[in-house]
Structure formats: structure tokens, C-alpha cells
Amino acid sequence: MDMSTRYLGLTLKNPLVVSASPLALDIGNVRKLEDCGAAAIVLPSIFQEDIENEIDEMERLIAEGNSEAFSYFPAHMSENVGPKNYLDLIRKAREAVDIPVIGSLNGTSRTGWIDYAKQMEEAGASAIELNVYFLATDLALSGADVEARYVEILTGVKKAVSIPVSMKLSPYFSSLGHMVKTLDQAGADGFVLFNRFYQPDIDLDELSLVRDLKLSHKGEIRLPLLWIAALAGNIKGSIAASTGVQTAVEVVKYLFVGADVVMTTSALMRHGVGYMKTLHDGLVADLKSREVEKLSDIRGRMSRGAVKDVAAFDRVNYIRILRSGAYNA
Ligand SMILES: Cc1cc2nc3c(=O)[nH]c(=O)nc-3n(C[C@H](O)[C@H](O)[C@H](O)COP(=O)(O)O)c2cc1C
């Protein structure tokens, strides 16, 4: 069976990709993930704030007349500037495995930090995943302002590098399809759907914010499923499904609606990195039972463009369900 797929112009041996998380900070994990069947690995994000802190520190040293700092860190982003550890992580991961290693850049504004993408490319990243983690809590910002920010950051990064760039997006746009199409036309090589925003809870006894990160559960695949089904076949860029994969069942569902690759973090954090083998073997077993010869036999077969009953995705179906009482507890 041919499980290979194309993602961001790269050929991957199968559609299973490790999404950004601290798991890949450990090179032992990176090796094990490859051994267990991962076809590519996204490294944890480097954050705009970290890059800017480093630039500030460099400028402070220069202002204090530290000539050594000056010769080592020429003004603004140069090849020697930026959180070195992240570039080392890229280099070490590249040396450790044969599968593509994707760097993740996380920020919100179009400023100098974007130039760091170039250094990620030079360190050996096969592609860059751009996570514009931006919560528009400023009530003066319009939807158009927010969208323009995404396009500006993408074009800034695209100018800085020649490797592919994917956009990791949240679902919270008033017209997500149009946003994706705009980024597609602006040169995004792919889309990771979706990013999960951190959502704080409240501790009512302490009257404080609870700062924890909940791992996902399988019910969360439904929103990405809906959108991937709508986008598949309508954009040039490739599509990575991200959120809610706990077993091979969710992987297969994502492929059916049109994902080129399927990413996972929570399941690996819950069960350990060796769980990648369970996902891989489960995927092989499922595809064999369907007598699939190659992934394209099933990919997108249940996308919005492919199914006969398009209403099943839509408002009409919602009304039908409400009237029939077919809800699950
Ligand atoms: C502990 C943890 C750390 C994460 N770190 C990052 C990160 O650095 N950058 C990023 O883009 N996403 C990060 N994510 C989000 C994941 O990459 C992924 O998009 C999200 O968890 C949904 O996928 P899942 O349901 O398979 O967990 C993190 C998630 C978790 C649980």
C-alpha cells in the first residue's frame, strides 16, 4: 500500500505528522517518533517575544559599548542573533532523523523578528509553520485590520525564506474561507487547521485565573472536519488537520474530508511518543480493511465538493436534526 502524501511541496512517507509541542525538545523523542512512523515533525514554537528580548539585549550591550557584543552581534538581525538554542534544536533534529523537520514561528506583528525565519532556514528547517497567535481583544481593531496583519506577516516571512511556509490558523474569523483563500493567493504553501487558543478558567475559591492547558479529546475534530471538507479542492496550498486525533479513526476521518496530512500532539502527550506506532499501525490496518491501494483513493472522498448531499454539512441539516430530535447525550 502506498501511504505517501504531499505536504508543502514535500513528499512524506505517510500522512502522520507530529504537531508543535515540547515533545520535540528531546532529540531522543524525535528519533523515536521517526522510528514509530512519524513522517514529519514540527518543532515547538519560537516566540516573537523571545526573539525580541534577544534583540533588545544585543542592543543594550551595544549601547553600553560592549565591543565584543558588537563584533559578535552586528546591529539588528544578523546570522549570529536570535535565540541560539532554537537554531541548535533545528540542527540537532535534522542530524538525528531523515524525515522533514519543520520549524515553528509564533508571533503577532510585522517587525524585525520575522527575519529570524531566515536563520531557521539556514539551520536546516525543511519548512516553516507560522502561528499568528493573535487574540484581537482591542475593540478598536476591525476584522479587516486583523486579517491584514496575517497577510503582512506571511508575506514578510515568505520574502525572508525560500523554504515552504504554512499558516497555522484558529477558526475565529468571520469568513474563514475567504481568509484562507487570501493567504493562499498571498503565497501560503499550506494551512494547519486549527490552532487551539489557550483559554483560561477561573478558580472560584482563590478568585484567580487557572493557568493550565487541557489536552484535546476526539469530539474536537468536528470543527476542523467541517472546514477541511469545505476547503479541500478549493485552494492551492496543502491542508494539515490538527486537533482531536486520539486514534487512527480520527486520522482516517480527516483524510476522507481532504486533509493531506494529519497532526497530533495531545495523544502523544497522554500515551507517550511510542503511541505514534499505535496510530501508524491503526492507520495501516484501517486502510487495508478498506482495500485502499494509495491514499488518494480515499483523500477528499467526503469533502464538501465530493459528497452528493452537501446539505449534510449545512444549516439545512441542522434544522432537520433539531426537528427530528436526533441529538446525542
Ligand atoms: C503542551 C502543548 C504545547 C504546545 N506547544 C505549541 C507550540 O509551541 N506551538 C504551536 O503552534 N502549537 C503548540 N501546541 C498546539 C499543538 O501543536 C496542537 O495544534 C494542538 O494541541 C491541537 O492538536 P491535538 O489535539 O493533537 O493536541 C501545543 C499543545 C500542547 C498540548
Side-chain angles (χ1 to χ4, degrees), residues 19-22 43-45 47 104 106 129 131 168 192 194-196 213-216 242-246 263-267 269:
S19 45
S21 86
L43 298 179
S45 296
F47 293 90
S104 169
N106 194 317
E129 188 175 287
N131 186 342
K168 186 169 186 176
V192 181
F194 290 113
N195 186 32
R196 280 169 97 226
L213 196 62
K214 287 262 181 277
L215 298 179
S216 68
S242 170
T243 296
V245 168
Q246 310 304 327
M263 294 187 170
T264 179
T265 284
S266 289
M269 299 210 66

Side-chain angles (χ1 to χ4, degrees), residues 44 168 275 293 307:
K168 186 169 186 176
Y275 188 70
E293 282 172 15
V307 297

